Amino acid sequence: MADLVKIAGWTGQTSAAVVFVHGLGGHAYGTWGHPSGDGWYWPRGLAERVPGLRTYVLGYDAPPTNWLGTAMPLQDRATNVAERLLGREELRGQPLIFVCHSLGGLIVKQVLVDLHEQRSRRPEAATLLAQVRGVVFVATPHSGSRSATWLERLRLLAWPSAIASQLVANDPTLRKLNVSYRGFADDRRTSLRHLVFYETQGTAAGAIVDETSSDPGLPGDPPIPIDADHVSIAKPRDGADLVAERVQRFVAALALPVVTPGDYTAAPLPDLARRPQFWTLVPKLVRAAVLLLAAAAVAVALNRARGVQPSGAAATPAAAPVVSFAAVDGAECLPMPAGVRIRVTVPGAEPQEAAVSGCEVRLAWALDWKAGQLAKIDVVGAASFERADAAKHYRLGDARWVVAMRPTATAPRLLVQLFDYASSDGGPEQPLAQFQTIVRNKIQMLAQSIALRNPLCAYVADLRVERTPRQLASSPNAAMAEWRSTGSLLFLSGLLFRRNADLMVRSQPFFGELSVGDVSRVQIDLRIDADEFSQTTDSHSLALLYALAMDARRRGQPNDVVYVFLGEAVSIAQGLDSTVPGVQLLKNAVRGALEGIGAPVPDLL
Amino acid sequence: MTKRPPSAGFVAAASLVALAILAPGLQAQDRLVGLLVAPFTGPNPLARKAATVIHLQTWQTLRMAAAVNGRTLNFGRGILQWTEEEPPTTHAGALALLAGSASQMTLWGRAQEFGAGVVVQAYLSVADADGAMAPGGALWRVTPEELPAADRSISVGLPTTLFEFGPIVLKPDVIPVLNTQVGIPMYRDRTFREQIGALTGDFVALEQGPNVARVRSSGATEPGWVRLPGLSNNRSEVTDFAGGLIRIFRQDWAGAIDLLTRVVAVPTAPAGIRISSYQLMAAASQRLHEQVGTPSRSVEFAEAAEKLNPFLRETVKVKCMALLAADRVPAVTKKLEDTVRAGASLFPQGDPWLAKVRTVLDRRRSLVAAGVP
């Protein structure tokens, strides 16, 4: 059962209540510093610095592995915590703010999403929800943790707890929670604020939550990097520590003004230690015994295998490998354009060619390849990409050969990636599919049209629009790394949500290094409605034309080529309603691009 | 409604429609200008019927305008054809449909559901890119005497070969009408009391009236009248522009200006279509001036296009053409110089077309310096 323990407060009026929620393997008290030592203890220090503030810590069982105890799944724990919060009378009637470390952030997100769903049938849920004014995420793995992934991969030995198993990187439960929470936060965008911190140092076990995962992808201030590891980030040294100082300002801004706060008091800390239950040792002993037996069986098998292998035998024919293409600093699967082939040269054999499909080629030639030999690979027909490791040879016998590629600096970027748009309430999917089809058709027609009219821009006819069946990384840095490595021109991602009775789509074009100024902040909000068809297609056309123009400039193309795209953009911009959120920023970007090539810009934009 | 699979021959069916009325020409020329309309892609039968309605509405524009055309001109024949081939989804596919047909243009498109409504997006693909059907092999040609006789011609063709129209948002009340499996009802006469069948499959348009057409269809035993519903609450430029382009190819310059004037007045028409319309009007006005002596409004139309977007190379070209064709007075030459100076950066380095215009300007300057009026 979750425990909610008051740590400190004031004897007079209450300005706000802050609940500290620890993470996986954490402790209600110990996660935040040293409550009994001489050091600064965050929940106390924060209350002391904000008049009228009460602070609480939430304790619950969250062992990373079943060897150390048991833990409820995330959703059950959230329900458990919600009931604990709803049952505490003293939390009512004041702003409520959560400070969450790691997994604690996911639990609080699930609590708030659950309360949001219950608000129409449970008045107390609506009341509590209305009180929540802020959430601080400290190293929360919004899209999971690679450490948890490793824990899961080693599950035979590590025996991860139920809640730890859900922290696997890109776990569908976390993705769904992320989307639901974004929708909830969007509904509450005027009354709910967020503050996000992320670790930049590794623990002895390595980095626990990376920058990408710690970004919840919410509007507002960007996540703040902290010189700390996953554990120490939640233990500020004193009130001047960046995390403590920013949280104090955040809380003070959300707290009610108080006239008579009274005196600061620190509450005694009850003992939260659980009494050991010896019968829980039984499954652990059984599992340990099974593991020992299994290890013994493997050892025997290995010894036997060694016994039949003649020493000094000639290398055996190797199985044909799978050749896969990867980005230098990004995607492990980098799809190649249509028509790309590889030529593989093995000593003593004729070179062989094979067509690449997506990011892989499965070699299936009946060759007498000898393990240990080195093969040479040439990539043919990939004008927009080049080998990042041109001199590298590949060893026969390896099951997979990974060929690192990078976009050719002078090649035009001709791929528009349509990522999955998030949906704030899990659906409906059909309008989103219609929207994406319309945008794709429009972009393809526009590319055809430009290529037809302008021989110098005929290369645009090769522009492709591809669906990428996942969401774009919410971290700008991760998105930029992907943009660089994929050779894409433009990423389109966004969110489907409801505004009053209207179904809306928020489209966020990502221009990578092509963006100048405010265009990186463009978010186009459009109603999914036939009457908005023109605005929908034209606003995305404008984004595409801007990207094509800036890409032409990047590649040092003459101004007349850049003008082709910007001239087309000027025509399209005239039909666009500047009051649609995001449109004026796009028009300004086109204006800026025109000014950038010395064009006198008339008052058309 | 019956749908035939694609046949071996390219344009299957077709209905040769209306022969636009021949002007009282003295010399008969067999110039045939055709527009092929393909069924739109999208949810059927709605997409197909929307294309049918647009087909018949465009056919109505074939009526010859009562305009200032010369009485001795022959405009040839204008036809609309309907194809039962697989609907195209690209410009190249639309042009491929023209092979073996009598048409030079394909009107094609798609109907798309968006939210609770349906939007029709139409395109016009033209095979005759440089207007080669016009006498002299170009839409508009000038021959400035400042250029050497051997290379005196400066010309422009069509602004583009792929025109994209503004989306037509179907009226809510017309969607159920188009979305029934039954074809468009055909009636015995224009009182629309007695239904005799439905317009399905191939059809031939025979006669027209305001928002009505008389057709022969495989879905009825005899010809009958159909009502042509207004598709959208807003005016669409599709039929007027397609009709205007047919008239351009038929060299019915006055008629083209008449229809294209309606296009530029459509507030929801894309700027690109309005610019193209002004460019075509500039060419038509000059051609009309040359044929029958009416005052040319080319410069006015070209400047209207320029005002909409000065950053298009074609806009600059058309304005240059209008100024080159205008009387050679100092004010016009000055305007031509300004146009070339302002628009030069839109052209590739050493562009031969612009180089010719510059040669004209250089020659005029040297003549002025030499005191030649």
Side-chain angles (χ1 to χ4, degrees), chain A residues 550 553 559 562-563 566 589-599 601:
Chain A
M550 299 308 283
R553 286 200 68 186
N559 280 355
V562 182
Y563 267 122
L566 294 179
V590 171
R591 168 187 284 273
L594 278 166
E595 287 169 346
I597 55 173
V601 185

Side-chain angles (χ1 to χ4, degrees), chain A residues 434 438 441-442 445 448 452-453 456 528-531 533-534 536 560 563-564 567 570-571 574 599-600 602 604, chain B residues 91 108 110 112-115 119 121 123 159-160 162 164 167 169 271 275 308-313 345-348:
Chain A
Q434 290 171 352
I438 283 164
N441 287 343
K442 175 67 185 186
M445 284 304 299
Q448 278 187 47
L452 278 169
R453 267 183 287 171
L456 289 174
I528 299 264
D529 186 275
D531 287 332
F533 187 93
S534 278
T536 304
D560 59 283
Y563 267 122
V564 168
V570 168
S571 288
Q574 291 176 54
L604 291 169
Chain B
H91 174 67
W108 56 288
R110 49 174 74 97
Q112 300 168 101
E113 290 166 314
F114 192 40
V119 179
Q121 180 70 62
Y123 308 95
T160 180
L162 172 60
E164 180 175 350
V169 180
I275 291 166
L308 280 172
N309 192 344
F311 297 111
L312 297 178
R313 199 181 306 154
S345 52
L346 304 180
F347 291 78

Side-chain angles (χ1 to χ4, degrees), chain B residues 58-77:
Chain B
T58 307
W59 171 63
Q60 295 195 317
T61 67
L62 291 182
R63 277 182 294 187
M64 193 58 64
V68 291
N69 288 303
R71 296 189 60 78
T72 59
L73 298 178
N74 176 0
F75 297 117
R77 291 186 301 155

